[in-house]
Amino acid sequence: MFTYIAKGDPDMARRRIKVLDTTLRDGEQTPGVALTPEQKLEIARALDDLGVDILEAGAAISSEGERKAIKMISRAGLNAEICSFVRAAKEDIDAALACDVDSVHMVVPTSDIHLKYKLKKTKKEVKEMALNAARYALDHGLIVEFSSEDASRTEPSFLLDILSAAVEEGVQRVCICDTVGVLTYEKSRELFSNLTAKLKVPVSAHCHNDFGMATANTVAAVMGGASEVHVTINGLGERGGNAALEEVVLALSQFYDISTGIKLKLLYSVSNLVEKITGMPVSPTKPIVGENAFTHGAGIHTHGVLAEPSTYEPIPPELVGQHRRLVFGKLSGSHAIESELKKMGLKPTKKQIEEIFNQVKQLGDRGKIVTDTELRAIVDSVLGRGFKETLKLEELTVVSGNRVTPTSSVRIKFGDKEFVESGVGIGPVDAAMNAIRKVVEGTANVRLVEYHVDAISGGTDAMVSVVVKLTDGKRMVTARGTSGDIIMASVQAMLNGVNRLLWDKQLRVKE
Ligand code: KIV
Ligand code: ZN
């Protein structure tokens, strides 16, 4: 356990909270996310390895594909309890039963707004419908988690009444939904304290992030006595999203010593997988799993972190499977640059360091983060090591359009040899990258890890900056290509990165 965060309420310590992950249900409700059954299964396996207790795999009633996915997940032999979302309706429960799930997350709208405008039913009618559905699911051997939708805006006496009746009926758990994220820390703690004191079954918290409060409100719910949290990876979900699994679990463990079954070390890789499969980019500033969560750029910070990481890191990055990154730019300090040069095995003089430092600042002043290749180019020129371009683009052709498969061919000089390769792809950039990758595969063992594109100015004539991250298995480099043509910028970035890796390898051999 990491020790430099003061732990809160000692009474809360040693509790074990259950995690219901709803990435595959509420998370999939994120506009723009639609997963195939195979993709859902891949995420489900990762969530199971991560250690979630309950996996809400989807809503069986929704579609044929959804039923296929839930069945595949139910039959995959996972450790987690597999759950389907259902409305309080026989057809939803039958669909869930047909998918072999262990449990259902049964949603019952309870606020006046939902009753009046959505269900058009009275409280009495809703209660009767809900209890009938709960009985039906229980009679068919399902575990029932009975959820009050819009609970935070529900008349308190009705909320207690319907939840107590569901408990009397035999449901195993109840859930309080802050459907539109209107709780505050204090209100959440109070609401959960009141209900957990009166209900004789475990109570779970389902908080949305409309006001950026979902993590705090979920933690408050646990402080109030909730014993299960509903969360999604990367905080995916409708509108502002759901409470993020990684944030809630870290807050509980680091601030309150409250444990979950989550393997913290897997958080970053699972976040990456979900980002890749859903196509929903994680903001660099996202806590815990964002690219910048453990990145230091400003001189004062890098100096501090190099001296003692805890100066600017509340937890060690390795705890969540992340790593520390130092980036260079106009705010860089000389300590970070010195440390990077040391990592490169170089011992420049004081004067050389000063010169490198000045050039990094100049580049940074032009509004750029300095990539590895740019830093290395500066280092080479200051140390007089003369960078040699190993691969040189001689010719690039790309064919694209609405009636052809995007295809590209490249002619590349490698030393005194010449390579001609072609590639196809889902678009012209992909085709060009694939053609280059074929040349590179034949000459160097280099893998593309990341690809980012930014339009530097607006309009269709914008200058485009492409940054790629490449690795040869030993080293990782970032490299940039800039051009008015996105394909040329991508090709340039790729070749700059490969050339840098090859040149560094030659230097390593010589030194
Ligand atoms: O946010 C919510 O209220 C929900 C329910 C439908 C369970 O996701
Ligand atoms: Zn929700």
Side-chain angles (χ1 to χ4, degrees):
M1 175 66 60
F2 203 53
T3 50
Y4 51 66
I5 298 175
K7 298 284 187 288
D9 198 340
D11 291 346
M12 290 291 161
R14 287 177 297 280
R15 283 175 66 195
R16 161 71 160 83
I17 297 297
K18 276 194 178 176
V19 172
L20 179 148
D21 181 279
T22 181
T23 306
L24 296 177
R25 199 275 300 170
D26 230 347
E28 203 188 1
Q29 287 173 218
T30 308
V33 176
L35 303 169
T36 64
E38 291 70 25
Q39 288 174 323
K40 288 191 96 156
L41 180 61
E42 189 177 349
I43 294 178
R45 286 192 199 282
L47 291 171
D48 195 53
D49 289 344
L50 181 65
V52 307
D53 300 284
I54 306 157
L55 214 157
E56 190 171 24
I61 192 71
S62 328
S63 73
E64 202 44 62
E66 193 73 345
R67 284 186 283 283
K68 183 175 171 202
I70 301 174
K71 264 185 222 160
M72 281 160 68
I73 295 170
S74 294
R75 294 170 189 173
L78 306 181
N79 292 317
E81 173 187 312
I82 308 301
C83 173
S84 169
F85 174 86
V86 294
R87 292 168 302 178
K90 184 175 173 299
E91 66 267 30
D92 285 34
I93 300 165
D94 288 338
L97 282 165
C99 295
D100 297 335
V101 293
D102 303 305
S103 61
V104 287
H105 174 206
M106 182 177 291
V107 61
V108 179
T110 51
S111 66
D112 286 347
I113 308 171
H114 279 237
L115 264 53
K116 181 170 173 196
Y117 295 105
K118 202 171 80 173
L119 294 187
K120 300 187 184 359
K121 284 191 193 303
T122 63
K123 290 188 170 89
K124 191 163 170 278
E125 286 165 339
V126 168
K127 188 171 159 188
E128 194 181 321
M129 169 189 83
L131 297 183
N132 285 340
R135 169 80 0 245
Y136 182 76
L138 290 165
D139 284 348
H140 285 78
L142 291 163
I143 299 169
V144 178
E145 179 156 337
F146 185 95
S147 221
S148 158
E149 186 182 19
D150 209 14
S152 47
R153 293 191 298 179
T154 296
E155 188 199 309
S157 61
F158 181 57
L159 182 61
L160 181 61
D161 178 50
I162 194 164
L163 294 178
S164 308
V167 174
E168 282 304 306
E169 201 65 45
V171 305
Q172 289 86 345
R173 307 189 291 262
V174 297
C175 172
I176 309 297
C177 297
D178 185 20
T179 302
V180 290
V182 292
L183 286 176
T184 59
Y185 187 91
E186 295 77 14
K187 283 186 193 159
S188 179
R189 185 167 182 159
E190 196 187 337
L191 177 65
F192 279 85
S193 300
N194 287 338
L195 291 171
T196 52
K198 292 177 184 137
L199 297 166
K200 292 183 213 81
V201 294
V203 178
S204 61
H206 180 108
C207 297
H208 278 266
N209 203 29
D210 299 69
F211 286 83
M213 300 287 284
T215 298
N217 291 340
T218 305
V219 169
V222 172
M223 296 302 121
S227 50
E228 179 187 313
V229 292
H230 285 204
V231 284
T232 58
I233 298 290
N234 300 337
L236 286 177
E238 298 249 3
R239 307 181 311 279
N242 286 60
L245 181 148
E246 57 280 3
E247 293 175 18
V248 169
V249 165
L250 256 286
L252 290 177
S253 75
Q254 299 305 301
F255 299 145
Y256 301 100
D257 243 347
I258 292 177
S259 67
T260 61
I262 298 299
K263 298 184 189 95
L264 302 184
K265 268 200 178 330
L266 297 183
L267 284 173
Y268 184 57
S269 59
V270 175
S271 159
N272 280 208
L273 180 82
V274 170
E275 178 184 37
K276 195 178 97 204
I277 295 181
T278 59
M280 276 296 131
V282 174
S283 160
T285 52
K286 170 90 183 59
I288 320 291
V289 292
E291 197 65 9
N292 290 354
F294 300 94
T295 299
H296 310 279
I300 314 174
H301 287 213
T302 44
H303 184 193
V305 162
L306 288 167
E308 166 53 45
S310 62
T311 49
Y312 289 102
E313 287 174 354
I315 52 169
E318 299 75 25
L319 183 73
V320 293
Q322 274 262 39
H323 58 273
R324 181 171 308 124
R325 302 173 188 86
L326 302 184
V327 294
F328 305 97
K330 69 175 184 179
L331 302 178
S332 289
S334 57
H335 287 91
I337 291 175
E338 253 185 277
S339 141
E340 190 62 19
L341 295 173
K342 213 165 158 190
K343 264 204 266 164
M344 289 157 79
L346 301 173
K347 291 191 195 87
T349 63
K350 256 201 153 57
K351 204 158 176 295
Q352 285 170 326
I353 294 178
E354 214 177 285
E355 179 54 29
I356 293 166
F357 181 61
N358 288 338
Q359 289 199 29
V360 166
K361 292 255 170 191
Q362 276 166 23
L363 200 55
D365 268 340
R366 281 192 250 139
K368 283 192 188 181
I369 281 287
V370 180
T371 64
D372 293 337
T373 43
E374 287 157 346
L375 176 66
R376 282 170 170 71
I378 293 172
V379 171
D380 283 349
S381 80
V382 172
L383 301 193
R385 306 198 304 172
F387 173 68
K388 205 166 109 240
E389 211 177 31
T390 321
L391 293 179
K392 212 164 176 262
L393 181 71
E394 296 285 312
E395 200 179 311
L396 169 78
T397 315
V398 179
V399 182
S400 186
N402 64 342
R403 287 173 178 270
V404 289
T405 305
T407 310
S408 170
S409 65
V410 290
R411 190 156 57 82
I412 286 178
K413 233 180 166 167
F414 180 41
D416 41 11
K417 285 196 198 131
E418 205 168 75
F419 293 83
V420 179
E421 283 292 357
S422 61
V424 291
I426 54 163
V429 172
D430 191 38
M433 297 300 254
N434 285 339
I436 294 189
R437 214 174 276 148
K438 280 194 194 163
V439 175
V440 172
E441 268 164 16
T443 54
N445 184 20
V446 172
R447 190 169 58 82
L448 178 68
V449 180
E450 266 175 43
Y451 172 91
H452 290 286
V453 59
D454 277 314
I456 298 173
S457 47
T460 49
D461 59 349
M463 282 298 281
V464 171
S465 165
V466 170
V467 174
V468 293
K469 194 185 269 185
L470 302 173
T471 180
D472 61 1
K474 284 208 173 71
R475 290 207 43 251
M476 186 86 85
V477 292
T478 49
R480 188 196 316 270
T482 308
S483 168
D485 176 334
I486 187 171
I487 304 166
M488 279 311 297
S490 307
V491 167
Q492 223 181 61
M494 182 87 170
L495 289 178
N496 285 345
V498 174
N499 277 327
R500 174 49 57 186
L501 282 170
L502 292 172
W503 179 239
D504 280 358
K505 200 166 153 192
Q506 278 186 43
L507 287 178
R508 276 202 304 272
V509 174
K510 275 192 218 150
E511 279 160 8

